[in-house]
Amino acid sequence: MKLSPANPLRVRARVRQRVTGLLGAGACLLAALPAAAQTPPPPVLSTAEFQACLARLQGTSDFRGIDPAIYAQHTRGLEPDATVLPLLNRQPEFTMPVWDYMAVLVDAERVADGRAAYRQWLPTLRQIEQRYGVEPAMVMGVWGVESNFGQIMGGRPLVQSLSTLSCFGRRQAYFRTEFANVLRILQGGHVPAEKLTGSWAGAFGQTQFMPSTFLRTAVDFDGDGRRDIVSSVPDALASTANFLRKAGYRTGEPWGYEVKLPGGFDTSQAGRRNKRALEHWQAQGVRLVDGSPLPATLSQAGLLLPAGANGPAFLVGKNFDTLYSYNASENYALAIAQLSTLVAGEKTQTGFVTPWPTDDPGLSRAENRELQTLLLARGHDIGAPDGLIGEKTRAAIRTEQGRLGMRANGRAGQQLLSALRRDGTAMQR
Ligand code: CA
């Protein structure tokens, strides 16, 4: 669908998609992935101008109902955080191929972490399923991709980031709503201020909700009277299930399944939104990837071809759309879907049956760490190997790619890793 800039609702939807889809929810985990080009240095911001802005905002309608004492408590002496502004403006250096997302988001480590957490929380997940009708595996997939099962939630103080973005930069109106809502969360006593940290854009907690999503969707499942998606796993998992239910989740339906297309298939029918009855796809010769007939577990399904006609193919139903609504990205939704399948199953292979159409697949986090170790051994100052490819790693990759006669695009792939391994052997001799 084409978005019309003339329609304010559409523009708002686009802003939301940009903010939450690319850089908000899940951004803590993925901040390094969408590959920012060299981020310019942050601007110098005036504290006096910032404080004047905060005083002005308090009287506006966005902040209606917020206790002046709460407002004062959280803004008195507050300094702006200029480092969020370059993040707001950055443009992706290149479009990351889907196989890179999948390799790093759905790797053996995350599946192992997920299976351990699944065993630990299964009784709670069953209670959540009874109340919201969302299967445990689906909740686990979201939890894993959003915060690595609560391990990575982001460390930026929300009040500081969101108030800065409310007073400086290009999207102030959007961020003012979120700033006001974070104050409402504090006023409600749901999460203590010192725990209210997250991505630069304000996504926080184990579910990586924006404050407005929190107010609409978060629930108190452990019964202590607070909706705490940071410290309470039951609250976080139930809030995720509630989000999916509100997005139209259908109990008992799978997200979809991998399929195989017949030769000469007309791929113009592809598209998540182009939902057709299962009989249509069956009649077109689409089969499960093992060749068996399509199971009637989906009523309507769209054909997803994330890498075109020559890569893996999927039929996806309404529940895939609920995953999409979490992050506004089909690649993220596919990662959640695949992780959910693996966490609740026994397969050891993390990829799909049909390989991605590339001769240079992406790297797992373990392989990213190995790559970073090889870069460190060559004198690149990239910090500790953490498996996340940030700007410093990318710059080092470009240098090494140039030295090895490869295209210097900053991408961490199997060919570069192999080349550096061979190169390392040669250096030791
Ligand atoms: Ca609670």
Side-chain angles (χ1 to χ4, degrees), residues 34-103:
Q38 269 83 352
T39 304
V44 177
L45 301 180
S46 150
T47 300
E49 189 187 329
F50 180 56
Q51 282 293 333
C53 169
L54 292 178
R56 209 165 50 239
L57 286 184
Q58 192 181 3
T60 62
S61 59
D62 281 338
F63 293 81
R64 197 175 296 144
I66 293 167
D67 182 347
I70 292 281
Y71 195 93
Q73 180 191 337
H74 293 286
T75 57
R76 192 183 297 127
L78 188 64
E79 299 275 344
D81 176 8
T83 63
V84 296
L85 290 169
L87 298 171
L88 179 67
N89 293 324
R90 71 178 168 182
Q91 297 294 324
E93 179 184 12
F94 57 72
T95 307
M96 186 173 243
V98 57
W99 44 87
D100 283 3
Y101 279 105
M102 296 301 295

Side-chain angles (χ1 to χ4, degrees), residues 219-228 232 235:
V219 296
D220 169 28
F221 198 75
D222 62 15
D224 70 351
R226 301 184 302 119
R227 301 188 266 160
D228 186 351
S232 166
D235 285 8

